[in-house]
Amino acid sequence: MIKTNMVKLAAMLVLSACIVASPKLSAAAPSKFTPELMQPNVSVLKISAGKSLIKNENEVQLLDVNQETLSRPLDLKQKVLDVHVLEKPTKLVILTEGAPGRIEKHVFNENGVRLSKSEYKIKAPERGKVKWVAPAKGVNERFVVQESNQFSLYTSSGSLVVKYNAQPNNSTYEYVNVVDWDVSAYPYLAVKYMGQRTMADDYFISIVNLYSKTSTEVPGLEINRQLRIDQQGRLNVWNSYNYENITPANAAQPDPTQKQTFHSLYNISSGKALAHHQSLFQQVPGQASGGWDTQLAGDTVFVQDLGTGLWSLYPTDGPVAIAKQQTGLGKGAKFIGYEPEAKTAYFLVKTDGSAAPELKRIPIE
């Protein structure tokens, strides 16, 4: 009997060692949702049905809404510079800053299993951003490096293709600087600026052609806006506003008696608008409360009226609402995405007495 037990014990130890050593299994265990995921600067990219990628300032995590699990991809112990989700086949491309300041590219499958890792001679700037440009129309992958108002396009070998000074000639402002940007297949770039004038800051977005070095300003109220170029090379521009925020009288402010454009989609090459989403967000009489919160996840736009709490969902490229004037959601929720097959919207919400958010499913009729 003792000999039999010893054999069983040895077999169990061997099996355990094989499981630990297996390269196909992730060492990262599912984790709880953290309060940091609720921040406005956290972006959500849809991977596939039920799976999304969540990017924080220096971290990338995978979310499975069906299993309610959150895990971090393998071996990402570096500063995250850029993230992309590619289709057919599905791949996650993540740029990080390696040593000594070199750009590294990590490729994972949708489950967070590493497929490849590459290092490039291009250096990440100390103060600036780097973005990856996927191969397209016979052109190999490229990299765009931004330092202040200067943009540089490089090949994967580190050869400089073009430089562009994005400093606009605008006498209206005392100072203008780049605060955000995104890039599609060469040669198009979308740049968000902040222009400073007396007691006010204005925000405006321009589409830049790096080949011709010409730019076209995207129309819209000069309040703070966000931008993202989707996988089809189309430019999404959206905004949020709270009437309670104290702003100078001469700053750009929306009129609460008029409909507001909270999201627009543009053709990146022509600058032509492909879709506009508008709604009326009234200010409560005698009070400063009201406004709206807009979030983008995948190809779906979420907007909530801060005065009434009602919320709606729209496809990024169409005017017909997926869901309109819905209830059952408090303010401050983080939109994770909409799954058309399940007809369900997913959010991270905070419950009373809990610091960590929880996943909430809301069926759409």
Side-chain angles (χ1 to χ4, degrees):
M1 179 68 68
I2 295 176
K3 182 177 181 181
T4 302
N5 289 339
M6 291 296 292
V7 171
K8 289 182 178 180
L9 178 60
M12 291 177 64
L13 291 174
V14 171
L15 179 60
S16 299
C18 292
I19 292 175
V20 172
S22 175
K24 295 183 179 181
L25 296 178
S26 171
S31 60
K32 297 288 186 180
F33 301 120
T34 60
E36 289 76 18
L37 296 178
M38 304 292 287
Q39 297 299 318
N41 63 346
V42 172
S43 57
V44 181
L45 302 177
K46 186 174 180 179
I47 300 173
S48 59
K51 291 186 178 181
S52 297
L53 185 149
I54 299 180
K55 180 185 180 300
N56 206 340
E57 184 176 0
N58 290 313
E59 188 176 58
V60 176
Q61 294 176 298
L62 299 178
L63 169 64
D64 188 322
V65 296
N66 297 319
Q67 300 296 325
E68 294 192 21
T69 57
L70 187 67
S71 61
R72 186 175 178 179
L74 303 178
D75 303 329
L76 277 181
K77 298 179 181 180
Q78 302 170 336
K79 178 182 178 181
V80 176
L81 302 173
D82 192 23
V83 176
H84 290 263
V85 176
L86 304 183
E87 298 178 341
K88 298 178 182 178
T90 302
K91 293 180 181 179
L92 314 180
V93 178
I94 303 173
L95 292 190
T96 64
E97 182 178 348
R102 292 282 184 90
I103 294 174
E104 292 184 5
K105 183 183 72 175
H106 309 259
V107 181
F108 298 88
N109 69 9
E110 61 182 292
N111 298 315
V113 177
R114 180 187 297 281
L115 302 177
S116 66
K117 175 183 174 182
S118 306
E119 183 178 284
Y120 301 87
K121 296 180 180 180
I122 309 163
K123 285 195 173 184
E126 292 184 6
R127 296 181 181 180
K129 296 180 180 179
V130 179
K131 290 186 180 291
W132 180 73
V133 183
K137 298 179 181 179
V139 178
N140 294 330
E141 64 177 352
R142 300 213 169 155
F143 298 82
V144 179
V145 178
Q146 173 251 333
E147 293 183 86
S148 186
N149 295 324
Q150 186 78 41
F151 288 86
S152 301
L153 179 70
Y154 293 95
T155 65
S156 57
S157 63
S159 299
L160 178 65
V161 178
V162 66
K163 273 194 173 186
Y164 176 75
N165 188 342
Q167 180 69 46
N169 296 321
N170 194 321
S171 59
T172 303
Y173 302 104
E174 300 171 5
Y175 183 73
V176 179
N177 65 307
V178 174
V179 292
D180 195 14
W181 58 280
D182 202 0
V183 63
S184 68
Y186 178 75
Y188 297 105
L189 184 75
V191 184
K192 182 174 87 170
Y193 297 91
M194 181 178 69
Q196 297 178 335
R197 53 191 176 88
T198 305
M199 297 183 64
D201 294 332
D202 292 341
Y203 295 87
F204 54 98
I205 294 173
S206 292
I207 296 174
V208 176
N209 185 319
L210 290 174
Y211 179 76
S212 63
K213 297 189 177 181
T214 57
S215 64
T216 303
E217 188 169 329
V218 176
L221 191 66
E222 290 85 1
I223 59 175
N224 196 2
R225 292 177 279 175
Q226 294 176 271
L227 60 87
R228 181 189 299 172
I229 297 175
D230 64 19
Q231 294 186 25
Q232 290 75 43
R234 303 172 301 183
L235 173 62
N236 288 273
V237 177
W238 68 100
N239 58 64
S240 302
Y241 194 87
N242 193 327
Y243 295 132
E244 294 181 354
N245 293 339
I246 300 175
T247 55
N250 66 329
Q253 301 182 51
D255 183 351
T257 66
Q258 302 294 322
K259 285 187 176 182
Q260 303 298 325
T261 301
F262 56 87
H263 171 266
S264 296
L265 185 70
Y266 296 93
N267 181 300
I268 194 71
S269 59
S270 67
K272 180 181 177 181
L274 302 174
H276 285 306
H277 295 112
Q278 297 180 321
S279 189
L280 181 65
F281 307 100
Q282 292 185 333
Q283 192 170 9
V284 178
Q287 300 182 25
S289 62
W292 66 95
D293 174 34
T294 308
Q295 299 178 46
L296 192 69
D299 55 1
T300 307
V301 182
F302 162 84
V303 63
Q304 184 176 38
D305 189 317
L306 298 180
T308 64
L310 299 176
W311 57 274
S312 304
L313 297 178
Y314 294 86
T316 56
D317 58 359
V320 180
I322 298 170
K324 201 165 186 179
Q325 303 294 297
Q326 301 289 302
T327 58
L329 186 67
K331 298 177 185 178
K334 184 70 179 180
F335 178 51
I336 296 300
Y338 171 70
E339 294 297 340
E341 296 83 4
K343 293 186 177 180
T344 303
Y346 297 89
F347 301 87
L348 289 181
V349 299
K350 282 190 176 182
T351 57
D352 293 338
S354 176
E358 297 179 356
L359 186 69
K360 183 171 184 176
R361 297 177 171 86
I362 299 184
I364 303 298
E365 301 296 335

